[in-house]
Amino acid sequence: MWPPAPCDNSALEWCLTRNGGDLKTVLLGCEIQRLTTTRDHQRGPFAHICGRSLEWSPLRRERKARPSSSHRAGKVTCPLRAAATMSTRPPMRPPGSVPAVLLGFQPALALTGALCLQQNLGSSSPGKKHSKENTITINCVTFPHPDTMPEQQLLKPTEWSYCDYFWADKKDPQGNGTVAGFELLLQKQLKGKQMQKEMSEFIRERIKIEEEYAKNLAKLSQNSLAAQEEGSLGEAWAQVKKSLADEAEVHLKFSAKLHSEVEKPLMNFRENFKKDMKKCDHHIADLRKQLASRYAAVEKARKALTERQRDLEMKTQQLEIKLSNKTEEDIKKARRKSTQAGDDLMRCVDLYNQAQSKWFEEMVTTTLELERLEVERVEMIRQHLCQYTQLRHETDMFNQSTVEPVDQLLRKVDPAKDRELWVREHKTGNIRPVDMEI
């Protein structure tokens, strides 16, 4: 703050008290005021990043027409917005008053103030420091800084949803690069498709075994071994051989149902799944590339702004030591270029935030869709495996039905009856021999 009117050295003490005892800040403010007379000059050569509201820009209407992309994405505001909120604007001279320190202005102290300005507005400017303290950019994606990270509410609490846990990149265990969180989800989906295919192949092998088993049972049922067994036991044995033929038929039906109701659905489920996943991968990858491009533009604009600031500072110092008669005009040009560079940086940051917001929205939508597809896949496999067990139970029931006639005949086996039947058929006489008489 400045004293209300010109005064003696006590005014300097008053300024120092109001500015926290920072002599450099006071002298710097005095120098800037001395060099500026118009309203634009009173704003200061770096007002575009130090003091003015972000609403002042060619994008003003656009910003008012839509919510900030950084807020939509749940992110922290950009470094310029952080800078704009900090009280780094040089002290302004009230109309009709002249700071007392200007009465004894010294170029050497002005140079010190300029160095202070370079320190404050260079690579370690308060706005950028504020940004570093609150956000961190990793692989072109901006996250809250872990040291000052506010508590974030999960999008789907207690559900362990994909949309909450795959925003960062993960170090590739097989190389020195990183794997995007979305790429891990795609790998999970493709792995699930592969597991589904292997399950189908497993059922196919089971079908082959059933078919081979049925073939062997049918062949065995035609065997003539023990075909000459007679009586009730012979009938039971004949039924055993017939039951093998019946069982072979049951297993053939079982294998056919396994093919139509289990193997084929598993094999044909989502035939175009890989193509769909590839399209999805390309879509998210394109958004990520666009985000990286926007981030590169931000860094380029930030570098350009730093160069313009240094150029303006150099010309300001030249004016002090009277190196050029055209320095004042050069300062005006440098100020305009610096202001334009600041606007360019703001525009690039806004475009970056828009790109990140779009990527954020597509990530949420797509990860929830992948989550739904995974649930659907698991439920589908579960249902068809339940169908397999049901068919297996039915096969056991049919097999049991083929054995029941055998059980009934075995219960009727009567060795005495078999002996009677055999004796009646094959007897040679029932007159027994007697002793010989002389």
Side-chain angles (χ1 to χ4, degrees), residues 229-264:
E229 181 62 51
E230 300 175 344
S232 59
L233 182 59
E235 293 178 3
W237 176 247
Q239 186 61 42
V240 169
K241 296 169 66 177
K242 183 178 182 300
S243 68
L244 292 181
D246 295 339
E247 186 177 355
E249 185 66 24
V250 169
H251 283 279
L252 281 176
K253 292 181 179 179
F254 175 57
S255 64
K257 287 186 176 182
L258 278 181
H259 173 70
S260 62
E261 299 180 19
V262 181
E263 180 211 356
K264 192 174 181 180

Side-chain angles (χ1 to χ4, degrees), residues 66-308:
R66 65 175 184 273
S68 170
S69 56
S70 60
H71 284 85
R72 291 197 304 268
K75 303 299 182 215
V76 196
T77 55
C78 68
L80 263 74
R81 286 178 169 81
T85 60
M86 301 190 67
S87 57
T88 58
R89 175 183 291 189
M92 304 307 297
R93 173 167 56 90
S97 63
V98 180
V101 291
L102 291 183
L103 302 177
F105 175 78
Q106 299 181 19
L109 293 179
L111 181 59
T112 303
L115 293 176
C116 177
L117 180 65
Q118 179 185 13
Q119 180 180 2
N120 288 337
L121 298 179
S123 59
S124 59
S125 64
K128 195 167 184 180
K129 182 178 180 182
H130 186 270
S131 173
K132 285 185 177 179
E133 290 177 351
N134 289 278
T135 64
I136 182 172
T137 302
I138 304 176
N139 290 343
C140 304
V141 181
T142 302
F143 299 96
H145 196 283
D147 295 338
T148 58
M149 179 175 61
E151 182 178 357
Q152 288 185 336
Q153 181 69 28
L154 295 176
L155 299 177
K156 300 182 71 175
T158 72
E159 295 189 26
W160 291 94
S161 175
Y162 288 167
C163 66
D164 280 319
Y165 297 98
F166 292 90
W167 292 107
D169 297 342
K170 187 176 182 180
K171 185 176 181 181
D172 188 357
Q174 300 179 352
N176 297 326
T178 58
V179 179
F182 186 78
E183 184 66 25
L184 291 177
L185 292 177
L186 283 181
Q187 291 177 7
K188 165 69 173 172
Q189 295 294 316
L190 295 177
K191 181 180 179 181
K193 176 64 176 178
Q194 179 63 25
M195 295 301 99
Q196 168 192 323
K197 180 181 178 182
E198 292 181 7
M199 289 180 186
S200 177
E201 293 174 353
F202 179 89
I203 298 298
R204 185 184 302 121
E205 292 299 318
R206 179 76 168 91
I207 291 172
K208 290 180 179 179
I209 292 174
E210 287 293 327
E211 292 174 345
E212 187 68 21
Y213 182 54
K215 180 180 178 180
N216 290 334
L217 284 177
K219 182 178 179 180
L220 182 61
S221 66
Q222 301 298 323
N223 194 288
S224 60
L225 294 175
Q228 296 180 1
E229 181 62 51
E230 300 175 344
S232 59
L233 182 59
E235 293 178 3
W237 176 247
Q239 186 61 42
V240 169
K241 296 169 66 177
K242 183 178 182 300
S243 68
L244 292 181
D246 295 339
E247 186 177 355
E249 185 66 24
V250 169
H251 283 279
L252 281 176
K253 292 181 179 179
F254 175 57
S255 64
K257 287 186 176 182
L258 278 181
H259 173 70
S260 62
E261 299 180 19
V262 181
E263 180 211 356
K264 192 174 181 180
L266 284 176
M267 178 61 69
N268 296 336
F269 182 67
R270 296 177 183 165
E271 292 182 345
N272 299 323
F273 187 72
K274 287 186 177 181
K275 291 183 179 179
D276 295 340
M277 288 297 100
K278 184 173 291 187
K279 291 180 181 178
C280 186
D281 185 18
H282 289 169
H283 177 59
I284 297 297
D286 289 343
L287 292 176
R288 189 67 183 269
K289 290 178 181 178
Q290 184 182 23
L291 182 62
S293 176
R294 297 299 189 192
Y295 179 75
V298 169
E299 292 301 305
K300 183 178 179 180
R302 195 192 307 276
K303 183 179 179 181
L305 176 60
T306 302
E307 293 175 354
R308 295 302 183 188

Side-chain angles (χ1 to χ4, degrees), residues 312 315 319 324-336:
L312 180 58
K315 287 179 171 55
L319 179 62
S324 174
N325 295 329
K326 297 183 179 181
T327 303
E328 292 186 8
E329 184 65 27
D330 291 342
I331 286 178
K332 292 181 181 179
K333 292 181 180 180
R335 183 181 291 111
R336 287 195 298 268

Side-chain angles (χ1 to χ4, degrees), residues 35-84:
L35 294 175
T36 56
T37 56
T38 64
R39 180 178 179 274
D40 288 338
H41 291 174
Q42 287 177 355
R43 295 180 58 86
F46 299 98
H48 57 284
I49 62 170
C50 293
R52 76 176 184 187
S53 167
L54 284 180
E55 289 300 322
W56 184 90
S57 88
L59 301 175
R60 177 182 180 186
R61 294 184 180 178
E62 184 180 357
R63 288 194 184 92
K64 287 188 175 181
R66 65 175 184 273
S68 170
S69 56
S70 60
H71 284 85
R72 291 197 304 268
K75 303 299 182 215
V76 196
T77 55
C78 68
L80 263 74
R81 286 178 169 81

